[in-house]
Amino acid sequence: QTCLMTQQAYQHKLKLALIGQSIFGQEVYNKLRQEGHKVVGVFTVPDKNGQADPLALAAEKDGTPVFKFPRWRAKGKPIQEVVAAYKSVGAELNVLPFCTQFIPMDVIDCPKHGSIIYHPSILPRHRGASAINWTLIQGDKKAGFTIFWADDGLDTGPILLQRECDVGQNDTVDDLYNRFLFPEGIKAMVEAVHLIADGKAPRIPQPKEGATYEGIQKKENAEISWDQPAAALHNWIRGHDKVPGAWAKIDDQVVTFYGSSLLDASVPAGQELAIKGASRPGLVTKNGLVIFGNDGKMVLVRNLQFEDGKMIPASKYFSADETAALELTEEEKKMAEDIRAIWKGILSNVAVIEDSTDFFRSGASSMHVVRMLEEIKQKYSGLQLQNEDVYMATKFADFIQMAVRKLRGEDKEEELVIDYVSKNMNNMTVKMPYQCFINGQFINADDGKTYDTINPTDGSVIASVSSASLVDVDKAVAAAKEAFENGEWGRMNARERGRLMYRLADLMEEHQEELATIESIDSGAVYTLALKTHVGMSVQTFRYFAGWCDKIQGATIPINQARPNHNLTFTKKEPIGVCAIVIPWNYPLMMLAWKSAACLAAGNTLVLKPAQVTPLTSLKFAELSAKAGFPKGVINILPGSGGLVGQHLSEHPDVRKVGFTGSTPTGKKIMKSAASNLKKVSLELGGKSPLIIFNDCELDRAVKMGMGAVYFNKGENCIAAGRLFVEESIHDEFVRKVVEEIKKMKIGDPLDRSTDHGPQNHKAHLEKLLQYCETGLFEVPCLQNQRQEL
């Protein structure tokens, strides 16, 4: 049905000239041809270092006429031979997906429908060639692109269509481009051509209000100006990452900064590093280079690049030259020669790949990075390399050393950065993470919002916890999806999954007193119960499901008893993908364990939202999972609002299953939302569990069991006895004994080992219980006098 609608909506086809270059241009070219439009000519740049542009390669492969002009104008006037060659193809529309050349107006206005151009900003803001850079440099909260009709101005033509997206706090140019501007831009270019073909394309004049033009950012004007707040420094660095690169002078040489993020924490320990122009030295720490804004706030820089092109982790600045070269085994030498051959295939203009050959200085670009890594992956699937690895080791010898270290497992993950809230209590120092845990990192919510989590014992604030936003949900789901589809977790065998889960259970047991203390102060659970049940059963749950990892089996089903039987039907149980888990506040850690352990054992990844009032043990669990070695993105924890985070998870198209424990009305909403992409759901919803006591019971035992059914874990129990039915002949005696037992209970501080009943989980719940008591006194006539006394 969708295909039919698309065909009906876009019935007309055009003859197109594509003017431009790059992989983006190549993808637009391919999509337009797939949609039935005829590309009558491709006009692109000449080969560079013997390498044809990707757009040219695709067109030449299809037999499309390709023209490679170094320029269209000379001394400000069109080159007539070039214009004549263009006019010879007879295009009805010029499409400029990405073009770095100046195209004469004779060409722009020549076709019947004129020319359309893709521009990576929300015009009229950020006109000019460095639009994406300036979007970040100026700290815009929204990014996007515009497809407009070309005129004789600079990015001033009428708007055909626009799309926008949110900008994350630590997004770089690459992040915006890869996540939104590239994939959505290709779709929009195709949509724009369809609209023109069908005569439905608008021409909306650009407003004068809000128009800006910024110059091209080049290396010489990308120097960091230090008299700025930390946020401005961060925006400047990420706005130039990767090209042209923000830089400063350190030890009399230009050093370029990459991979910045705002650091909201106490000043870490580190070795001072003098930076020219900075009023305060930077700090080389175990996690990177910390620099300071004029507001005293901090920015963390992950990587540094020197003038010779060598890039290092900023944390290694003072030890960059201390790593001894590895002696390669015969197998590793063979791998090195295979990689040398791959480099030679890409760098065809280089006669011999020497140890000193620099990948980028020999003519390679970012598109060649992807090709090189994919070719290596085909030959050596166990060697997992990222784009960043190539930039960190651009010379062949350095690249081989890095690859061998990774293959040997010597390239360790950087230490997890955690900013704790620490409290001395229960004869220990309790360290509690309070930020969102996304893709293996503790980070602030994208919009910076927090909320206070309260100790129900005394009403004091334990911590200000990050309150996840919709952007954070999207990031967490994307991380979980990437970990499942492309990460180490998706390739890991079942036995290794089990090993990680056993290790996590051991760490939980090792930290059981700390976990139980956190559970007590955050939920009001009595410490002894938290230690035995909340934490103890969670440890047992992970150990149980760890044993199941390599025992999940399918089945064969006989479908024909005849002999010979050549038919076979079988089932194969496979992980489903990203699972969203929303848990309640009564057993924060145990409900996490019950839902996530089975999910992980099956090989899924998860995004978990703890109850808003009890997030702290879930975040401590996240810390322990990272220390256990779970790959990034497998486990993500998002504290915050159920109405916001939980709802978005249940609607998210990349979430394949939702597990929820809570109220029936919320469960209905989740089931309705899950229908959007036919998610699987597991719902544990509300109920009213009755306990019925007859007159032939052992009364004292019945009282004890009734008390346990009602008051276990302060009555905050999924299977609590919400109602007690007592046979009339023993009713009064039963009530008398219950009252006697209640008077013996000690209500108070949950960390006091003699306490029987801690505080109710949170104030709203307490007020609800008091309202029920009031309602009960009002509705039962025989209790009216007692109500008046109360």
Side-chain angles (χ1 to χ4, degrees):
Q1 185 178 3
T2 303
C3 293
L4 288 174
M5 290 173 63
T6 302
Q7 290 170 4
Q8 290 169 3
Y10 304 124
Q11 296 178 355
H12 303 95
K13 308 301 177 186
L14 295 176
K15 291 189 291 183
L16 308 174
L18 256 74
I19 304 175
Q21 64 223 66
S22 79
I23 294 177
F24 183 75
Q26 179 192 60
E27 289 298 314
V28 171
Y29 165 84
N30 289 333
K31 293 293 183 184
L32 288 170
R33 279 174 48 84
Q34 289 172 14
E35 292 294 319
H37 297 285
K38 182 175 179 59
V39 180
V40 294
V42 165
F43 298 84
T44 187
V45 294
D47 296 354
K48 183 179 179 181
N49 295 322
Q51 301 276 343
D53 183 81
L55 175 57
L57 288 173
E60 287 168 348
K61 181 179 179 182
D62 295 330
T64 301
V66 176
F67 303 83
K68 301 178 181 180
F69 300 132
R71 65 186 63 84
W72 293 70
R73 302 186 307 176
K75 297 181 179 179
K77 295 182 179 181
I79 301 173
Q80 292 307 313
E81 295 84 354
V82 173
V83 174
Y86 161 77
K87 289 182 177 180
S88 69
V89 302
E92 297 173 314
L93 173 70
N94 291 333
V95 178
L96 286 72
F98 175 73
C99 182
T100 58
Q101 297 176 312
F102 284 99
I103 310 300
M105 290 305 297
D106 306 49
V107 173
I108 292 294
D109 293 335
C110 180
K112 171 184 176 182
H113 296 291
S115 303
I116 60 171
I117 301 177
Y118 171 93
H119 183 78
S121 81
I122 307 170
L123 291 174
R125 186 164 172 78
H126 302 313
R127 292 170 176 160
S130 296
I132 316 178
N133 304 79
W134 284 103
T135 297
L136 296 175
I137 291 168
Q138 296 192 355
D140 293 1
K141 299 301 181 185
K142 295 285 184 181
F145 58 80
T146 303
I147 296 173
F148 68 96
W149 299 92
D151 64 4
D152 58 358
L154 185 60
D155 304 331
T156 56
I159 294 169
L160 195 160
L161 62 79
Q162 290 182 319
R163 299 285 186 270
E164 67 176 38
C165 67
D166 293 323
V167 178
Q169 180 176 273
N170 295 318
D171 277 345
T172 64
V173 172
D174 281 354
D175 293 332
L176 288 178
Y177 187 72
N178 294 330
R179 185 178 74 238
F180 184 80
L181 299 176
F182 181 87
E184 296 303 318
I186 293 165
K187 296 176 188 175
M189 287 297 284
V190 175
E191 180 184 347
V193 172
H194 283 321
L195 290 171
I196 295 168
D198 287 349
K200 299 177 181 179
R203 291 175 179 262
I204 304 168
Q206 290 191 32
K208 294 181 179 179
E209 184 180 353
T212 65
Y213 172 80
E214 295 90 9
I216 297 175
Q217 284 308 99
K218 299 180 179 179
K219 195 70 176 183
E220 55 264 29
N221 57 15
E223 183 176 5
I224 299 170
S225 175
W226 290 99
D227 190 19
Q228 301 183 81
L233 293 176
H234 168 54
N235 288 337
W236 184 262
I237 295 169
R238 68 181 179 135
H240 292 83
D241 189 339
K242 294 280 191 272
V243 177
W247 59 272
K249 280 206 167 183
I250 302 175
D251 293 334
D252 292 326
Q253 70 166 314
V254 171
V255 178
T256 306
F257 292 35
Y258 294 112
S260 70
S261 59
L262 291 172
L263 183 59
D264 183 14
S266 55
V267 178
Q271 187 173 349
E272 288 191 351
L273 177 64
I275 304 172
K276 185 178 180 180
S279 60
R280 183 174 176 179
L283 286 176
V284 176
T285 73
K286 61 185 179 182
N287 298 310
L289 172 64
V290 174
I291 56 177
F292 298 88
N294 61 11
D295 55 358
K297 296 183 178 180
M298 297 176 287
V299 176
L300 180 67
V301 178
R302 299 286 183 182
N303 299 315
L304 300 173
Q305 187 175 40
F306 299 107
E307 291 177 344
D308 64 359
K310 182 179 181 181
M311 187 181 287
I312 63 165
S315 60
K316 306 292 186 184
Y317 182 85
F318 289 113
S319 57
D321 298 322
E322 295 178 4
T323 305
L326 299 174
E327 281 289 332
L328 305 191
T329 65
E330 290 303 316
E331 188 175 345
E332 289 165 348
K333 289 178 181 177
K334 180 182 182 303
M335 181 186 76
E337 291 309 309
D338 288 338
I339 294 176
R340 193 187 301 272
I342 292 171
W343 277 45
K344 183 69 180 80
I346 295 170
L347 305 175
S348 56
N349 56 304
V350 178
V352 179
I353 304 297
E354 307 282 359
D355 284 353
S356 59
T357 300
D358 188 287
F359 192 68
F360 296 107
R361 293 188 177 185
S362 299
S365 63
S366 58
M367 68 176 181
H368 297 116
V369 171
V370 177
R371 173 184 164 184
M372 187 245 287
L373 295 184
E374 288 300 314
E375 289 191 33
I376 292 174
K377 188 187 298 182
Q378 286 180 341
K379 280 185 170 290
Y380 297 94
S381 58
L383 178 58
Q384 298 302 314
L385 299 174
Q386 307 298 324
N387 291 8
E388 194 73 23
D389 296 323
V390 185
Y391 292 101
M392 298 286 279
T394 60
K395 293 181 179 179
F396 181 77
D398 295 336
F399 185 84
I400 293 300
Q401 290 283 309
M402 176 274 299
V404 170
R405 284 192 168 88
K406 279 186 173 289
L407 197 62
R408 293 180 182 181
E410 295 178 12
D411 187 68
K412 301 296 183 183
E413 277 287 322
E414 62 187 31
E415 189 173 340
L416 183 65
V417 180
I418 309 175
D419 191 17
Y420 296 106
V421 168
S422 298
K423 292 188 179 294
N424 294 315
M425 55 176 55
N426 205 21
N427 299 316
M428 69 181 79
T429 299
V430 179
K431 302 172 78 173
M432 295 168 284
Y434 59 85
Q435 297 166 295
C436 300
F437 185 71
I438 301 174
N439 201 26
Q441 293 182 316
F442 282 103
I443 59 173
N444 292 328
D446 182 79
D447 57 12
K449 289 184 178 179
T450 63
Y451 69 93
D452 292 339
T453 185
I454 305 298
N455 184 338
T457 302
D458 56 13
S460 63
V461 175
I462 305 171
S464 290
V465 178
S466 293
S467 184
S469 67
L470 297 183
V471 173
D472 296 310
V473 175
D474 291 339
K475 286 181 179 177
V477 173
K481 183 180 180 184
E482 177 67 17
F484 179 76
E485 294 182 351
N486 301 313
E488 180 186 352
W489 182 255
R491 298 184 298 272
M492 189 179 293
N493 65 54
R495 192 168 289 111
E496 178 64 14
R497 281 205 309 273
R499 187 180 67 81
L500 287 178
M501 292 183 67
Y502 276 123
R503 186 185 298 166
L504 176 56
D506 290 343
L507 282 171
M508 291 169 69
E509 188 171 57
E510 183 181 326
H511 289 263
Q512 60 183 338
E513 289 86 0
E514 186 179 21
L515 286 165
T517 302
I518 296 172
E519 195 91 328
S520 291
I521 64 171
D522 203 24
S523 75
V526 172
Y527 175 77
T528 50
L529 178 68
L531 188 63
K532 179 183 178 183
T533 303
H534 291 232
V535 180
M537 289 184 67
S538 299
V539 173
Q540 293 170 18
T541 298
F542 267 92
R543 286 191 174 135
Y544 173 81
F545 281 104
W548 267 107
C549 288
D550 58 358
K551 300 174 184 66
I552 300 172
Q553 300 178 1
T556 57
I557 306 168
I559 58 172
N560 189 338
Q561 302 300 329
R563 296 290 185 271
N565 179 7
H566 300 296
N567 301 313
L568 174 68
T569 297
F570 67 90
T571 61
K572 182 182 180 183
K573 295 181 180 179
E574 297 181 328
I576 191 170
V578 180
C579 297
I581 298 174
V582 183
I583 59 174
W585 43 257
N586 57 339
Y587 290 95
L589 187 63
M590 194 164 73
M591 297 305 262
L592 175 153
W594 285 4
K595 293 187 183 298
S596 63
C599 168
L600 295 169
N604 300 295
T605 57
L606 64 89
V607 180
L608 183 139
K609 195 207 85 65
Q612 188 167 2
V613 292
T614 54
L616 295 180
T617 43
S618 294
L619 294 171
K620 189 68 180 180
F621 167 84
E623 175 194 341
L624 298 179
S625 72
K627 291 181 176 178
F630 277 78
K632 292 180 178 181
V634 175
I635 295 171
N636 304 273
I637 309 291
L638 298 178
S641 163
L644 184 74
V645 177
Q647 182 67 24
H648 194 41
L649 283 171
S650 65
E651 295 170 344
H652 203 291
D654 290 332
V655 172
R656 299 303 304 140
K657 178 167 183 174
V658 178
F660 170 75
T661 295
S663 70
T664 301
T666 302
K668 289 180 178 178
K669 290 181 181 179
I670 287 176
M671 181 166 277
K672 184 177 180 179
S673 299
S676 62
N677 67 334
L678 299 178
K679 294 178 179 67
K680 294 179 180 292
V681 292
S682 295
L683 304 175
E684 181 192 358
L685 307 178
K688 273 290 188 181
S689 310
L691 182 63
I692 305 173
I693 301 172
F694 294 100
N695 65 4
D696 61 348
C697 69
E698 297 178 26
L699 192 58
D700 289 341
R701 187 179 178 192
V703 168
K704 183 178 180 181
M705 293 184 68
M707 293 278 290
V710 171
Y711 290 110
F712 185 81
N713 198 47
K714 309 170 292 169
E716 297 163 359
N717 202 19
C718 301
I719 54 172
R723 297 170 291 172
L724 268 65
F725 294 100
V726 182
E727 194 167 351
E728 187 172 10
S729 61
I730 61 169
H731 173 271
D732 293 347
E733 178 66 9
F734 183 88
V735 171
R736 185 185 65 78
K737 286 180 175 289
V738 166
V739 172
E740 287 179 359
E741 291 300 317
I742 289 175
K743 289 179 178 178
K744 298 176 185 177
M745 291 174 61
K746 180 178 178 180
I747 301 174
D749 183 356
L751 295 178
D752 185 338
R753 305 311 193 259
S754 62
T755 295
D756 300 301
H757 191 300
Q760 299 308 136
N761 187 280
H762 53 281
K763 187 177 181 181
H765 177 55
L766 173 62
E767 291 173 349
K768 185 177 180 181
L769 294 179
L770 293 174
Q771 183 61 47
Y772 278 134
C773 292
E774 182 72 12
T775 301
L777 290 171
F778 181 80
E779 291 180 349
V780 181
C782 67
L783 296 178
Q784 286 298 310
N785 291 336
Q786 295 182 36
R787 177 175 178 270
Q788 291 171 4
E789 292 173 5
L790 288 172

